Amino acid sequence: MTVESVHPEAQPRAASDLREPPLAGGGVPLLGHGWKMVRDPLAFMSRLRDHGDVVRLKLGPKTVYAVTTPELTGALALSTDFEIAGPLWESLEGLLGKEGVATANGPRHRRQRRTMQPAFRLDAIPGYGPIMEEEAHAVTVRWQPGEIIDCTFESFRIAVRVAARCLLRGAYMDARAERLAAALDTLFRGMYRRMVIPLGPLYKLPVPANRAFNRALADFHLLVDEIVTERRASGQKPNDLLTALLEAKDENGDPIGEQEIHDQVVAILTAGAETVGSTIMWLLHVLAEHPEHAERVRAEVESVTGGRPVAFEDARRLRHTNNVVVEAMRLRPAIWILTRRAVSDTSLGGYRIPAGADIVYSPYAIQRDPKSYRDNLRFEPDRWLPERAKEVPKYAMSPFGVGNRKCPSDHFSMAMLTLITAALAGAYRFEQVPGSKDATRVGITLHPNKLLLRTLPRG
């Protein structure tokens, strides 16, 4: 998928021509629409399209503008009138910090992108191939026929090991994968509550939920410090992203600070664990709930490999497998909500947006919009065949973002997800077992609440 610039307003409008966005109904005193965002956020965000292209919300005392169309979300992401900020990023500040690539703006962000980009160039991705192959096949060996798999832990474990071995060149994550998975799950649920109901001082009270959140946050940052300390103590300088960070210079030619290094490693692990891990969980769910597509993946792998273990070089030929991955990300995006902030008085879609206003949009709602997709709620990988993909409006499917905030690891992640899906579908069939709860668990990211699958040998 490619992206180009869009101009939703061909001619600039005079300020007097701009409209005030409509206010969504259903707000309650004090909490505004925050209550709906806690009770059923996915349905609430999906219904906003019925009220207009841009809609005002109240989150506690704060007014927020929701954007509901693909065209305007593309314009929002590409416009210099908006920057990375708003309730999402404020809620994530305790985790991501202020100095990493995820939250930086302006010259700092451009310099950080230049530091990270070599690790994710197209010609660099094949160098990670052997590691991805090893990890994909290690899973099929580690899991045994008839075993019940806790997909939350195992998905995070796969994602963390690949990210650590490829980008941080460390096997030291083995013993820490479970800590990372537990910490991030607690953090991302707590941060979502802080975003939609911003009751700042109340989150400092020593109640059990706040204590658990603070413990998870402290453990996660300790884990990052351990990674950096161990690399420095080793004296090794492998050609990886962590070495690039440790040797990076700032705008004045001086080494970047310790806090920036810390925040950059946080960004790597958060993306590598939480977002990719959540996507692996949904792919395992797909293999269990759609055996016809699992069988098509297995048959495609057999056709391409002739029975040998699937290799990294096979990934580009596994077209249906790739389409299964894309369709899973369409229906179940790990990152389902994003925010921006207006840096000056501006407009969007003919509506007035004041300086300092926060804007929110939902890739989940955009990617399920019946105006963009026929049979919008149906799992249909063939909609991504070249002749059918042309029907999808621009920006109606942007799983890795657009513009200068596009995730630099998009090709890396797609190669990994395709290879893992191929290896698992080739080795096993999957079925849910009693106790499995595949309802969506909503935090800053989405993943199944508790997915338990039994591995069944291929007949």
Side-chain angles (χ1 to χ4, degrees):
M1 288 172 282
T2 61
V3 296
E4 301 89 28
S5 295
V6 296
H7 303 279
E9 296 169 8
Q11 299 294 329
R13 293 173 181 252
S16 59
D17 294 336
L18 297 175
R19 296 165 289 165
E20 182 78 359
L23 178 68
V28 299
L30 297 179
L31 300 181
H33 298 96
W35 179 241
K36 288 180 176 289
M37 289 284 286
V38 169
R39 292 189 64 191
D40 195 352
L42 301 179
F44 176 71
M45 291 300 293
S46 296
R47 285 194 295 266
L48 289 178
R49 67 171 76 97
D50 299 332
H51 300 281
D53 297 348
V54 182
V55 183
R56 283 181 296 135
L57 306 177
K58 297 290 286 185
L59 299 183
K62 196 170 193 175
T63 296
V64 174
Y65 296 77
V67 178
T68 68
T69 70
E71 181 184 37
L72 292 184
T73 57
L76 177 67
L78 292 166
S79 174
T80 56
D81 289 343
F82 305 95
E83 65 180 6
I84 287 291
L88 170 65
W89 305 105
E90 289 169 357
S91 71
L92 286 170
E93 189 174 286
L95 173 62
L96 298 178
K98 296 182 179 180
E99 299 190 22
V101 69
T103 53
N105 287 292
R108 180 193 291 270
H109 177 256
R110 289 192 291 274
R111 187 254 299 162
Q112 292 174 335
R113 292 274 297 196
R114 287 195 297 271
T115 298
M116 300 181 72
Q117 199 61 50
F120 298 113
R121 288 197 317 259
L122 276 174
D123 58 357
I125 304 302
Y128 305 128
I131 295 174
M132 292 183 185
E133 290 175 18
E134 288 177 16
E135 292 299 328
H137 295 306
V139 176
T140 65
V141 172
R142 186 169 68 249
W143 296 356
Q144 297 297 312
E147 183 179 2
I148 295 176
I149 304 300
D150 178 348
C151 293
T152 301
F153 172 64
E154 285 294 323
S155 296
F156 276 117
R157 182 179 185 181
I158 296 166
V160 169
R161 283 184 58 86
V162 173
R165 293 190 61 200
C166 289
L167 304 177
L168 307 178
R169 298 292 184 191
Y172 40 69
M173 292 301 295
D174 291 2
R176 299 182 175 123
E178 189 168 4
R179 280 171 55 194
L180 181 68
L184 283 174
D185 190 49
T186 299
L187 290 172
F188 274 56
R189 285 175 63 81
M191 287 169 181
Y192 176 71
R193 287 192 292 270
R194 285 159 170 76
M195 180 182 75
V196 299
I197 304 181
L199 303 176
L202 295 183
Y203 293 120
K204 296 181 180 180
L205 296 177
V207 297
N210 290 343
R211 288 199 297 267
F213 180 89
N214 291 332
R215 283 195 302 270
L217 186 62
D219 194 44
F220 184 83
H221 285 301
L222 176 62
L223 176 61
V224 171
D225 288 337
E226 289 173 0
I227 292 169
V228 175
T229 298
E230 286 184 21
R231 168 60 65 83
R232 281 205 168 107
S234 73
Q236 298 177 353
K237 295 184 178 182
N239 183 24
D240 68 356
L241 193 51
L242 183 52
T243 296
L245 292 174
L246 293 173
E247 296 184 346
K249 308 295 183 182
D250 65 15
E251 292 80 359
N252 299 317
D254 298 320
I256 65 175
E258 289 300 310
Q259 188 62 51
E260 183 173 337
I261 293 171
H262 178 98
D263 291 352
Q264 294 288 58
V265 175
V266 166
I268 295 166
L269 290 177
T270 301
E274 182 67 23
T275 59
V276 175
S278 295
T279 302
I280 292 173
M281 275 184 261
W282 286 122
L283 286 165
L284 285 164
H285 182 261
V286 163
L287 295 178
E289 295 302 298
H290 298 279
E292 71 281 10
H293 289 294
E295 177 57 27
R296 283 183 64 182
V297 170
R298 185 209 62 77
E300 180 178 64
V301 172
E302 178 73 21
S303 174
V304 167
T305 66
R308 61 170 169 75
V310 65
F312 176 83
E313 291 74 17
D314 300 323
R316 68 181 61 185
R317 299 170 60 195
L318 297 173
R319 296 179 181 176
H320 185 70
T321 307
N322 182 277
N323 290 345
V324 165
V325 173
V326 173
E327 181 69 348
M329 290 193 296
R330 180 186 76 85
L331 283 172
R332 304 290 189 180
I335 301 297
W336 70 276
I337 192 165
L338 291 165
T339 64
R340 294 287 192 276
R341 178 168 291 157
V343 298
S344 59
D345 289 343
T346 186
S347 64
L348 194 63
Y351 291 102
R352 182 184 301 107
I353 308 293
D358 291 330
I359 299 93
V360 60
Y361 64 100
S362 172
Y364 177 95
I366 295 292
Q367 292 168 193
R368 288 170 163 243
D369 192 335
K371 295 178 181 178
S372 298
Y373 297 96
R374 289 182 292 173
D375 296 324
N376 60 308
L377 300 183
R378 181 183 177 188
F379 182 81
E380 180 50 79
D382 286 345
R383 73 172 78 245
W384 300 110
L385 292 171
E387 62 274 16
R388 292 184 57 186
K390 297 175 184 177
E391 302 172 3
V392 178
K394 190 184 296 182
Y395 308 114
M397 180 62 183
S398 302
F400 297 103
V402 300
N404 69 350
R405 310 306 306 208
K406 183 179 181 182
C407 177
S409 66
D410 53 349
H411 296 290
F412 175 94
S413 298
M414 280 301 301
M416 178 174 73
L417 292 167
T418 298
L419 190 61
I420 289 170
T421 303
L424 291 174
Y428 295 110
R429 293 180 293 113
F430 297 94
E431 66 176 13
Q432 288 199 60
V433 299
S436 182
K437 300 176 182 177
D438 63 358
T440 302
R441 183 165 182 158
V442 180
I444 299 297
T445 57
L446 303 180
H447 63 74
N449 189 51
K450 183 180 182 181
L451 185 62
L452 302 175
L453 299 182
R454 178 179 284 111
T455 57
L456 301 173
R458 283 287 178 187

